[in-house]
Amino acid sequence: MSSLRDLAIRRKLGLLIVITTAGAILMAAISTGVYGRYALRKISANELGVVSDILANNITAAVAFGDQLAAEKIIDGVEAKPSIVAAMVFTSEGEQFASYVRDGFEGHVSIGEETKKGVVGGQVMFGYLLHSSPIEVGGRKLGTLTIQADFSELNEFFYYSGQILMGIALFSCIAAVLLSSKLQGGMVEPILALARVTKRISLEQDFSVRAPKYNHDEIGDLVDSFNHMVGEIEQASSALRESEERYQTLAEASPVGLLRFDTHGEIAYMNERSAQISGLSLEEFQLKGPLTGLHPEDRARVFHLWQEASQNELPLREEYRYLHEDGEVAWVLAQAKPEFDDRGSFLGYIGTLTDLTDRKRAEEERETLIGELEVRNAEMEQFTYTVSHDLKSPLITIRGFLGLLQKDIEVSNEGRIEADIQHIENAVEKMGFLLEDLLALSRVGRIVNPSEKVSLFKLVNDVVRLLSGIIDKRGVQIKVDPNLPVAFVDHARFEQVIQNLIENAIKFMGDQKSPCVEISVRDDQGKQVCFVRDNGIGIDPRYHDTVFGLFDRLNQTIDGTGIGLALVKRIIEVHDGEIWVESEGEGYGSSLCFTIPVVDEVDEEERAKNG
Amino acid sequence: MGSETAHGEPLTVLLVEDNLAHAEMVKRSFEDHRVANRIIHVTDGEMALDYLLRRGDYSDPESSPRPHVVLLDLRLPKIDGLQVLKEVRSAEEISRTLVVILSTSAAETDVARAYEYHANSYLVKPVDFMKFTEMMDDLGFYWLGWNYFPWGDGR
């Protein structure tokens, strides 16, 4: 049945018409045949009865006179009736008196015992029609005439009738098929055309095609409705496409990265800006997962947050970093919202990536600046504190000894007067030095000369010449290493550094018999460390840090403002260098070591920048 | 005016001062008013601790007696005044030593920190000479005449 249902409409209709036509003809033929057979048999039987009665009547005289020849002659008369195959006359005693059998009849002659018994009337026996008629004269029965006929005549009629019927049936079927195909032209073809258009639309998504309209019947209405519907879909889809294109353009032009995630958290779409910010393409994300490219320090945190949010279908907002292949770090603000369809089922996430790198960089810069300012501020506080303290100190001395001087003059204590004046002089001189040094210190960092290539060897020799007075006075041997590097520094400031360090070394020489100051350089794990080494009193390791503090002085017996090393440290730091003390302790001499940018390194940096 | 404490003892002062001129002024003030008969002067924090803890050169109790009062400057070479005060307070045998801070600094932080480490008094050296001598006078009278010390005997 199903195969019948799946047949094309064209075949279905054809088959229906043929079956209906053939069925109708068949029914008519059968009913006509059955009734015809019955009616014709009845007519034949009556006809045979009449023939038999007439013959019996004709033959009565022959039988009555026992004229067998005459009887035979009469009986042979049935030959004119082709359906009669045999005829026999029996006497009332049951003897055969005359008989006829058609030439060529090979069938069974059924006129037997039953007929002899004198039974009259028609009956059908062994496929033949039998009829017996009495031969009587004046009410006296002389014998019986029996005729046997076959249905050949009838059969012949049926044979021809059947053939005519078949012809009609064939003609009807052909007519039906022709008619159906003619009808299909008007009915099936529009449906088929509609089906073809539907198929094309669904396959090619081409909403511009229309189904052809052939008639103004119901199918025509259907085609009209269909075309109208397609038209609306076309409009809607083109509006949708335009809207999508507009959004696409917006998304691509957006300064913010835009992304969509599917329900598995995989990136389904991202715009160009997302790729720029993250440093990765959509393909790379799809290949390596959505958490690719994260900064190693942020990966675990973001992974955890993302997992938690996506499991609970919650929105997400987080700042983190991408580490680009070239080592650049990009700070981003990622925001993602879950998407749901009309029925509330989870579709994934839609998210944005905002580049925070510039802001973060500015923030970092600000933090650095604030930090630097805080350091400067603290230094400034320390500075004002120590300045007020250390400037106040000589003032107290001056005022104090002026008072004492007055008293001593009153009592004319000559010895003390001189000492008082000396104290005052010292304090005034100290104040002068302090002010000078403070001025020098305040210039560091404020007045900056551009750095230049400076041969430290030449610079040190210049300073030594400048200090030849105190050097000769103390009889100090100065050794200058010719391997001293060429530095990239502020020349004038560096003169101050070297001068302070050499002066310091001589100042703290103690009672060394053969004082010596060495200015040299050594290689310390690839870094060039310059140092000023003396064989003076040395510095206890406990105080190695405090020597650089402003106004910190370890030895009160030696003149000094306590600014010198603070100044040196400040200058070295301005040059991004470090300074420290190396000394085994008191009596072992000391080395002041420092690092500064030397020309080789500067060249390398510049090469790196330009490369 | 006597040169003895309320208990009749002579007053011993340990002066910790790196500025030699200032030390001279303090000594002269005490001398003029005969408020103390013994001033021991050391010039840095390390020496002060050595003296109080009787270490090295100061191990002889005869020549290095315990002071009644320590006059302590804050800015000192080697070990600064606050650190000296802190160590005095944490060394049990000298923790009750009376320490008077004598500094040029009137900075609040210095004052606050000094009291945090349990200084007994905080004095700022006046620039004015008259006030300087007046303060030294009062200092002598106060500690010599009025103050009771936490120890009964002369140690």
Side-chain angles (χ1 to χ4, degrees):
Chain A
M1 278 304 276
S2 70
S3 59
L4 188 67
R5 223 180 278 148
D6 291 343
L7 278 178
I9 289 182
R10 185 192 287 275
R11 297 255 169 101
K12 245 185 247 177
L13 269 176
L15 203 62
L16 191 70
I17 290 169
V18 169
I19 286 172
T20 312
T21 314
I25 291 169
L26 198 65
M27 287 297 285
I30 287 171
S31 54
T32 312
V34 168
Y35 178 72
R37 186 179 154 91
Y38 168 75
L40 285 174
R41 277 196 179 200
K42 201 161 179 173
I43 291 166
S44 298
N46 286 342
E47 197 186 8
L48 200 64
V50 170
V51 170
S52 174
D53 284 348
I54 292 168
L55 207 57
N57 210 22
N58 290 346
I59 216 164
T60 308
V63 175
F65 295 101
D67 187 354
Q68 275 187 317
L69 272 173
E72 290 279 351
K73 207 170 176 176
I74 291 166
I75 220 168
D76 282 345
V78 299
E79 203 177 355
K81 193 100 175 124
S83 62
I84 295 170
V85 290
M88 281 182 185
V89 175
F90 290 91
T91 61
S92 50
E93 286 84 33
E95 283 168 18
Q96 188 177 324
F97 184 73
S99 77
Y100 164 81
V101 174
R102 184 175 291 272
D103 288 340
F105 177 68
E106 282 165 4
H108 178 72
V109 177
S110 306
I111 306 165
E113 296 306 309
E114 295 293 321
T115 317
K116 281 179 201 163
K117 285 174 191 168
V119 178
V120 291
Q123 60 182 316
V124 177
M125 237 178 181
F126 311 111
Y128 293 95
L129 194 63
L130 295 179
H131 199 277
S132 301
S133 301
I135 301 165
E136 289 169 324
V137 174
R140 194 174 53 96
K141 193 178 177 186
L142 299 179
T144 308
L145 172 78
T146 302
I147 298 173
Q148 181 180 351
D150 63 10
F151 293 109
S152 62
E153 242 178 336
L154 213 57
N155 287 347
E156 199 177 343
F157 170 76
F158 276 118
Y159 175 74
Y160 287 115
S161 304
Q163 286 211 330
I164 290 165
L165 219 62
M166 287 276 278
I168 291 169
L170 197 66
F171 173 77
S172 302
C173 284
I174 288 167
V177 168
L178 287 176
L179 196 69
S180 80
S181 70
K182 187 72 188 164
L183 273 175
Q184 278 165 7
M187 205 168 71
V188 176
E189 186 49 41
I191 295 179
L192 291 180
L194 186 63
R196 279 195 297 271
V197 169
T198 314
K199 199 167 186 174
R200 189 172 151 197
I201 289 172
S202 75
L203 280 181
E204 298 172 15
Q205 299 290 313
D206 179 4
F207 294 104
S208 65
V209 293
R210 295 287 180 275
K213 184 177 173 182
Y214 295 95
N215 307 315
H216 292 281
D217 55 1
E218 291 92 330
I219 294 172
D221 290 346
L222 179 66
V223 168
D224 279 344
S225 304
F226 177 80
N227 284 342
H228 181 69
M229 198 173 73
V230 172
E232 283 194 348
I233 293 175
E234 186 186 17
Q235 271 187 345
S237 77
S238 87
L240 191 69
R241 197 169 49 242
E242 272 173 34
S243 158
E244 264 178 10
E245 274 168 11
R246 211 159 38 234
Y247 275 110
Q248 182 78 13
T249 312
L250 273 178
E252 287 309 328
S254 162
V256 169
L258 298 170
L259 306 104
R260 281 185 77 160
F261 299 87
D262 62 16
T263 47
H264 308 290
E266 296 294 332
I267 296 175
Y269 165 80
M270 60 184 243
N271 65 353
E272 181 58 32
R273 185 78 185 114
S274 296
Q276 285 170 1
I277 295 174
S278 63
L280 292 164
S281 67
L282 180 61
E283 289 71 32
E284 284 170 297
F285 273 121
Q286 283 173 340
L287 199 69
K288 298 174 191 165
L291 296 178
T292 311
L294 287 186
H295 196 284
E297 287 170 25
D298 295 346
R299 194 172 293 147
R301 177 171 56 88
V302 174
F303 176 72
H304 181 73
L305 281 168
W306 177 241
Q307 217 178 21
E308 205 176 68
S310 59
Q311 269 168 12
N312 301 312
E313 296 166 7
L314 289 173
L316 183 83
R317 183 190 163 94
E318 186 64 16
E319 288 182 11
Y320 57 86
R321 289 163 288 178
Y322 279 106
L323 182 61
H324 290 186
E325 257 182 20
D326 57 9
E328 283 276 317
V329 173
W331 268 102
V332 299
L333 167 67
Q335 298 181 93
K337 271 190 177 172
E339 277 191 298
F340 301 97
D341 67 10
D342 296 341
R343 279 165 295 177
S345 48
F346 181 59
L347 293 177
Y349 275 94
I350 185 149
T352 60
L353 270 186
T354 313
D355 191 352
L356 301 183
T357 312
D358 289 345
R359 206 186 82 193
K360 284 283 176 185
R361 207 168 282 158
E363 269 175 25
E364 269 169 31
E365 234 163 72
R366 201 186 66 196
E367 289 299 314
T368 315
L369 282 176
I370 288 174
E372 264 176 35
L373 271 179
E374 273 168 2
V375 169
R376 288 278 164 280
N377 223 30
E379 273 179 8
M380 197 67 203
E381 240 168 63
Q382 176 69 12
F383 183 75
T384 35
Y385 167 78
T386 44
V387 164
S388 65
H389 182 278
D390 280 58
L391 283 177
K392 205 170 152 191
S393 191
L395 265 183
I396 293 169
T397 308
I398 292 164
R399 292 287 289 269
F401 279 95
L402 279 174
L404 290 172
L405 180 64
Q406 210 169 353
K407 280 187 183 177
D408 290 336
I409 289 170
E410 278 169 22
V411 297
S412 302
N413 189 335
E414 298 288 333
R416 276 196 170 169
I417 289 171
E418 212 166 302
D420 294 343
I421 292 171
Q422 191 58 51
H423 276 301
I424 292 167
E425 262 182 18
N426 287 348
V428 170
E429 193 187 25
K430 170 93 177 276
M431 232 171 160
F433 286 143
L434 265 174
L435 290 172
E436 255 174 53
D437 284 358
L438 283 174
L439 200 63
L441 188 64
S442 75
R443 280 200 191 112
V444 184
R446 193 160 54 81
I447 298 169
V448 185
N449 305 313
S451 289
E452 54 187 311
K453 286 185 187 178
V454 175
S455 160
L456 280 187
F457 180 69
K458 188 174 172 301
L459 185 140
V460 169
N461 279 317
D462 288 348
V463 172
V464 167
R465 229 181 339 270
L466 198 75
L467 296 176
S468 57
I470 59 164
I471 290 169
D472 293 345
K473 192 175 157 198
R474 184 65 181 82
V476 181
Q477 188 196 354
I478 303 278
K479 286 188 203 163
V480 183
D481 189 339
N483 293 322
L484 280 172
V486 174
F488 192 70
V489 292
D490 177 342
H491 188 276
R493 295 273 167 271
F494 245 74
E495 268 184 0
Q496 274 180 305
V497 168
I498 300 299
Q499 186 179 336
N500 264 294
L501 291 178
I502 294 174
E503 277 178 340
N504 232 50
I506 295 169
K507 205 185 278 176
F508 297 98
M509 201 47 87
D511 50 9
Q512 174 64 248
K513 296 277 191 312
S514 49
C516 177
V517 174
E518 183 189 357
I519 301 98
S520 182
V521 64
R522 68 165 195 250
D523 187 85
D524 191 357
Q525 291 170 346
K527 263 203 145 174
Q528 297 216 60
V529 174
C530 301
F531 57 89
V532 177
R533 178 157 57 204
D534 64 55
N535 53 359
I537 59 174
I539 302 167
D540 190 315
R542 277 183 294 172
Y543 310 123
H544 281 185
D545 290 331
T546 55
V547 293
F548 296 108
L550 193 58
F551 304 114
D552 275 326
R553 293 158 63 207
L554 293 180
N555 197 321
Q556 286 311 123
T557 58
I558 293 160
D559 284 342
T561 58
I563 296 178
L565 283 183
L567 177 69
V568 167
K569 186 174 189 223
R570 192 85 186 85
I571 295 172
I572 296 282
E573 281 174 352
V574 165
H575 285 89
D576 291 328
E578 278 181 278
I579 183 160
W580 66 94
V581 175
E582 287 174 6
S583 176
E584 300 275 307
E586 284 182 33
Y588 290 97
S590 52
S591 301
L592 276 124
C593 311
F594 58 92
T595 59
I596 42 158
V598 299
V599 163
D600 281 348
E601 290 173 24
V602 171
D603 279 357
E604 268 171 17
E605 270 174 33
E606 277 181 359
R607 224 174 292 138
K609 264 182 217 164
N610 299 333
Chain B
M1 258 192 250
S3 59
E4 294 179 338
T5 64
H7 301 282
E9 275 180 80
L11 186 69
T12 307
V13 173
L14 176 66
L15 175 62
V16 190
E17 175 61 80
D18 64 325
N19 187 314
L20 302 180
H22 288 190
E24 181 70 20
M25 284 163 67
V26 173
K27 280 191 226 170
R28 290 271 294 267
S29 295
F30 277 119
E31 196 180 283
D32 289 352
H33 297 90
R34 295 185 299 280
V35 286
N37 59 1
R38 185 153 197 186
I39 291 182
I40 300 119
H41 176 215
V42 294
T43 55
D44 65 48
E46 200 174 63
M47 283 165 81
L49 283 173
D50 284 349
Y51 184 92
L52 290 169
L53 292 166
R54 288 187 167 144
R55 294 187 298 216
D57 293 346
Y58 309 105
S59 53
D60 179 11
E62 271 305 308
S63 56
S64 308
R66 287 273 154 83
H68 288 90
V69 176
V70 178
L71 292 180
L72 184 64
D73 193 5
L74 282 186
R75 288 184 56 80
L76 290 169
K78 296 189 180 176
I79 299 172
D80 80 25
L82 278 179
Q83 190 60 31
V84 171
L85 178 58
K86 199 174 165 186
E87 286 188 30
V88 165
R89 291 293 179 243
S90 59
E92 196 166 348
E93 77 245 56
I94 55 165
S95 65
R96 290 186 301 177
T97 306
L98 298 177
V99 177
V100 174
I101 304 295
L102 184 62
S103 167
T104 48
S105 166
E108 279 169 33
T109 49
D110 283 336
V111 180
R113 252 183 262 146
Y115 282 116
E116 213 169 281
Y117 293 134
H118 310 292
N120 296 90
S121 183
Y122 192 105
L123 302 173
V124 179
K125 297 172 191 168
V127 178
D128 188 299
F129 177 65
M130 292 306 288
K131 282 184 183 159
F132 190 93
T133 47
E134 205 176 307
M135 189 181 82
M136 285 300 140
D137 258 5
D138 292 347
L139 181 76
F141 280 124
Y142 179 85
W143 293 106
L144 187 71
W146 302 115
N147 192 59
Y148 273 71
F149 294 96
W151 48 85
D153 54 71
R155 288 156 294 163

